[in-house]
């Protein structure tokens, strides 16, 4: 986007992916071949290896590869070239761990930015201002996208703990301008929700690059801490709202935030922040119970109760133990400890 008078933007989405169908009745090869992403992968794979063909044996792996790469044409082309050495199931397994190191080796006659996916993303990243780059990498901490409110709370403004020389200027530029710039550079996607609230997110391949930049700047700990604090505050508000007339709306909101709530719980466990984790788990008990996720809730609470610092405060620990009792009587033995 150039930002000039008369300009009209046209959104070019990733290639269409196969629909998530009924596991009992998987789509036929003909149906899969109608998917833009699968068709491009199969064409480029056949270029790399003449005997390649979409088959019943490799179709599942090909579909997973296309979904894992978000339907991005360049990513699919670079991945398909790897079929020369890696059959689709092996390739899918490699991509499950990390994408960017594998998505290299584009044709030499193309510009450098089209020879690897990392360079393609870096080309856009380098066009950003210092504040926009900081916002981009800090938004990567969101596992399942975020609202404008969450982006402002977690990634917005200056971060005194990391925004010191030689870091980016701590100008605290308006976050809406920064988000708009990232959308214009196709580094961020905007989606509408059923509630009418805009939601922002990254394709997983782009998020992997942003996380690399976050780690390179030594900002991971600060970002995770802010992220966990935001979702703890959100869950405690939701706990109160679930007992009121807006219960359904808040259940839906927590459902949309599941990936990030899990990421916050995982951060508490990894850092052994038992008190914050137990507060978060305690606040989510009503959501887990009503939405039929009792087993998941109990697993989180048990993991948190096993942390070294889970001996206090007593009220927080008691609430978590009661949550375990709510899910199953097997937790009764915990009360004797």
């Amino acid at each position: 986007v150039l930002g000039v008078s008369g300009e009209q933007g046209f959104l070019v989405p990733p290639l269409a992916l196969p629909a998530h169908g009924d596991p009992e009745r998987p789509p036929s090869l003909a149906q899969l071949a109608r998917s833009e992403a699968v068709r491009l992968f199969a064409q480029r794979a056949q270029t790399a290896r003449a005997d390649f063909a979409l088959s019943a044996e490799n179709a599942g792996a090909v579909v997973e590869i296309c979904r894992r790469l978000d339907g991005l044409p360049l990513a699919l082309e670079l991945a398909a070239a790897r079929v020369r050495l890696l059959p689709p199931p092996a390739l899918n397994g490699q991509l499950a761990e990390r994408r960017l190191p594998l998505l290299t080796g584009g044709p030499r006659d193309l510009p450098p930015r089209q020879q690897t996916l990392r360079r393609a993303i870096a080309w856009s990243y380098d066009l950003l201002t210092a504040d926009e780059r900081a916002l981009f990498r800090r938004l990567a901490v969101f596992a399942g996208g975020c609202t404008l409110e969450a982006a402002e709370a977690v990634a917005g403004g200056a971060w005194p703990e990391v925004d010191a020389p030689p870091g980016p200027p701590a100008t605290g530029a308006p976050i809406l301008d920064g988000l708009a710039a990232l959308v214009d550079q196709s580094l961020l996607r905007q989606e509408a929700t059923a509630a009418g609230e805009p939601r922002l997110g990254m394709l997983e391949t782009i998020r992997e690059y942003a996380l690399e930049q976050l780690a390179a700047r030594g900002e991971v700990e600060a970002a995770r801490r802010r992220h966990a604090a935001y979702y703890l505050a959100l869950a405690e508000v939701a706990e109160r709202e679930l007992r009121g007339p807006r219960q359904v709306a808040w259940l839906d909101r927590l459902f949309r935030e599941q990936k990030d709530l899990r990421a916050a719980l995982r951060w508490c466990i990894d850092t052994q922040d038992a008190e914050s984790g137990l507060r978060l788990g305690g606040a989510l008990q009503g959501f887990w119970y009503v939405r039929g996720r009792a087993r998941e809730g109990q697993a989180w609470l048990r993991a948190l109760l096993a942390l070294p610092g889970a001996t206090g405060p007593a009220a927080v620990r008691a609430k978590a133990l009661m949550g375990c009792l709510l899910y199953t009587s097997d937790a009764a033995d915990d009360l004797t400890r």
Side-chain angles (χ1 to χ4, degrees):
V1 176
L2 300 178
V4 297
S5 299
E7 182 180 32
Q8 181 174 355
F10 182 83
L11 179 65
V12 181
L15 298 181
L17 297 167
H20 289 275
D22 183 354
E24 302 293 328
R25 301 176 60 187
S28 66
L29 293 180
Q31 291 173 317
L32 290 177
R34 287 198 287 270
S35 159
E36 296 173 341
V38 171
R39 192 162 61 247
L40 176 64
F41 181 89
Q43 290 171 352
R44 296 297 186 266
Q46 194 170 40
T47 299
R49 181 169 183 146
D51 62 349
F52 176 85
L54 192 65
S55 67
E57 289 72 29
N58 65 28
V62 170
V63 169
E64 283 302 308
I65 290 169
C66 293
R67 288 178 178 154
R68 204 178 293 282
L69 298 179
D70 306 307
L72 290 176
L74 177 59
L76 292 170
E77 291 187 352
L78 295 172
R82 295 294 188 185
V83 170
R84 187 181 296 112
L85 294 175
L86 293 171
L91 177 60
N92 184 45
Q94 293 283 326
L95 290 170
E97 297 183 10
R98 292 192 66 193
R99 300 164 178 80
L100 295 181
L102 204 66
L103 301 177
T104 61
R108 297 178 184 177
D109 58 333
L110 292 178
R113 68 175 185 271
Q114 295 180 19
Q115 293 179 16
T116 76
L117 191 62
R118 181 180 278 107
R119 287 181 184 174
I121 302 171
W123 182 72
S124 292
Y125 179 74
D126 291 341
L127 294 175
L128 301 173
T129 67
D131 279 311
E132 290 163 357
R133 288 197 294 271
L135 178 61
F136 168 69
R137 60 180 179 267
R138 293 167 185 179
L139 287 171
V141 76
F142 291 101
C146 62
T147 62
L148 293 176
E149 173 194 277
E152 174 67 42
V154 177
W159 287 17
E161 64 269 43
V162 295
D163 281 337
T171 62
I175 192 169
L176 283 178
D177 293 343
L179 294 173
L182 296 180
V183 172
D184 289 345
Q185 290 286 357
S186 298
L187 294 171
L188 202 61
R189 302 175 72 190
Q190 180 179 350
E191 301 174 353
T193 66
E197 182 180 24
R199 194 169 183 85
L200 302 161
M202 294 180 183
L203 299 175
E204 281 303 308
T205 43
I206 292 176
R207 181 171 178 254
E208 183 176 318
Y209 178 86
L211 286 170
E212 287 183 353
Q213 299 306 307
L214 194 70
R217 296 303 295 263
E219 298 176 344
V220 173
E221 183 178 353
R224 297 290 188 194
R225 185 168 58 249
R226 282 172 167 249
H227 177 272
Y230 172 79
Y231 281 98
L232 172 56
L234 179 71
E236 290 183 334
V237 171
E239 182 181 23
R240 296 190 296 270
E241 294 288 347
L242 291 181
R243 294 192 289 267
R246 301 180 62 201
Q247 182 190 70
V248 173
W250 275 92
L251 284 170
D252 291 343
R253 182 169 182 180
L254 291 176
F255 181 81
R256 291 192 296 271
E257 302 289 358
Q258 279 187 104
K259 288 184 178 180
D260 284 282
L261 290 167
R262 289 168 181 152
L265 287 164
R266 174 51 55 192
W267 170 252
C268 292
I269 292 173
D270 291 344
T271 59
Q272 297 194 350
D273 185 354
E275 181 177 349
S276 296
L278 289 172
R279 283 174 58 196
L280 177 55
L284 291 174
Q285 289 180 31
F287 168 71
W288 285 327
Y289 185 76
V290 173
R291 284 297 172 96
R293 284 168 167 73
R295 184 173 298 178
E296 178 185 358
Q298 186 189 69
W300 283 116
L301 290 173
R302 284 187 173 275
L304 291 161
L305 286 165
L307 294 176
T311 55
V316 174
R317 177 175 170 80
K319 186 175 181 180
L321 289 168
M322 289 301 295
C324 286
L325 286 173
L326 179 67
Y327 300 140
T328 175
S329 59
D330 292 342
D333 292 340
D334 290 340
L335 292 176
T336 63
R337 299 196 186 102

